[in-house]
Amino acid sequence: MRLVIARCSVDYAGRLTAHLPSAPRLILVKADGSVSIHADDRAYKPLNWMSPPCTLKEGTGDDEGTWTVINKAGEKLIITMEEILHDSSHELGVDPGLIKDGVEAHLQELLADRIDTLGEGYTLIRREYMTAIGPVDILCRDAEGQTVAVEIKRRGEIDGVEQLTRYLELLNRDPHLAPVRGVFAAQEIKPQARVLATDRGIGCTVLDYDAMRGIEDDKLRLF
């Protein structure tokens, strides 16, 4: 990973245009080819980014100080460097990945085995479908044959919706899978997460852990 702190301006040209005026920013260039620009706020979310696969070209001569990032769709991210304050590279190696807690891992296994929990006619493509930014918990198809990406959490919060949004953006670039819609599945989904998911066209499913394990509710029933 390469970390650059620089005073720079950024221009994006693609499906739309966007401009970031001159300011000190952090630029991350990762081994997977992605480039992201960060400010000292907004938590982990970048101001602008280019997902892999893409190429980075650093200008020379008259173009020295201009970085041009181009993805396979021809979209461009042009970074104009005014002053570089820090530039270092670090070899991070292969990451072992996120280890889910026991409940989340078991929920994934159970839902993959009982994929019709999501609806009649659903079929499993695979668990842990790998992408350039991490594995999608479950990839499946609905009754109409549309690809569905499922993110599973024990407690569904906003960060889980953001994670699924990033997966969907990447998956929808694959013509063999697109269009891909998302389902956010959890034992409990917070109201703010549900609102954000709905706004982004992501479905929400509450998972009953005990029912999926085949355990009957031990509460007294009238019938």
Side-chain angles (χ1 to χ4, degrees):
M1 179 184 290
R2 183 178 177 187
L3 297 88
V4 178
I5 298 175
R7 178 173 291 278
C8 63
S9 59
V10 183
D11 291 280
Y12 168 80
R15 289 164 294 181
L16 46 79
T17 59
H19 174 71
L20 292 172
S22 175
R25 297 189 176 93
L26 168 65
I27 303 166
L28 297 182
V29 182
K30 295 186 178 180
D32 64 4
S34 64
V35 178
S36 56
I37 296 101
H38 299 258
D40 202 11
D41 60 6
R42 296 166 59 95
Y44 58 85
K45 189 173 182 180
L47 296 166
N48 214 327
W49 69 95
M50 195 70 82
S51 300
C54 56
T55 57
L56 167 62
K57 180 181 178 182
E58 297 185 40
T60 58
D62 293 340
D63 293 327
E64 186 175 3
T66 300
W67 290 15
T68 304
V69 187
I70 306 175
N71 66 13
K72 64 180 182 181
E75 299 168 317
K76 293 183 180 181
L77 199 62
I78 302 170
I79 307 170
T80 303
M81 302 290 189
E82 299 173 15
E83 180 184 9
I84 294 179
L85 306 172
H86 174 87
D87 189 347
S88 64
S89 297
H90 307 270
E91 182 59 54
L92 302 185
V94 178
D95 190 89
L98 176 68
I99 299 176
K100 293 179 175 286
D101 67 28
V103 174
E104 282 190 15
H106 200 197
L107 278 170
Q108 186 189 111
E109 293 176 11
L110 288 168
L111 188 56
D113 188 50
R114 299 164 175 78
I115 197 66
D116 57 358
T117 300
L118 297 175
E120 186 177 350
Y122 274 71
T123 56
L124 178 69
I125 296 176
R126 67 167 297 165
R127 288 173 51 201
E128 297 286 327
Y129 185 88
M130 188 55 64
T131 74
I133 57 175
V136 176
D137 287 335
I138 288 179
L139 198 69
C140 57
R141 295 191 191 281
D142 63 17
E144 285 72 43
Q146 183 177 0
T147 309
V148 181
V150 185
E151 179 64 26
I152 300 171
K153 299 293 183 186
R154 184 167 58 86
R155 182 179 295 106
E157 301 187 25
I158 284 178
D159 59 350
V161 179
E162 294 283 9
Q163 183 179 357
L164 180 54
T165 300
R166 293 193 295 273
Y167 286 142
L168 290 171
E169 180 185 358
L170 192 61
L171 291 169
N172 273 300
R173 296 183 181 186
D174 186 338
H176 299 293
L177 297 175
V180 185
R181 65 181 179 88
V183 171
F184 190 49
Q187 287 181 279
E188 173 192 2
I189 299 177
K190 296 294 186 180
Q192 300 92 330
R194 186 180 291 275
V195 169
L196 181 61
T198 301
D199 182 67
R200 295 183 177 180
I202 295 172
C204 292
T205 298
V206 176
L207 301 175
D208 187 329
Y209 187 42
D210 288 340
M212 291 173 69
R213 290 190 297 164
I215 298 176
E216 290 291 336
D217 191 340
D218 60 2
K219 295 178 182 178
L220 292 175
R221 299 178 181 177
L222 292 175
F223 303 99

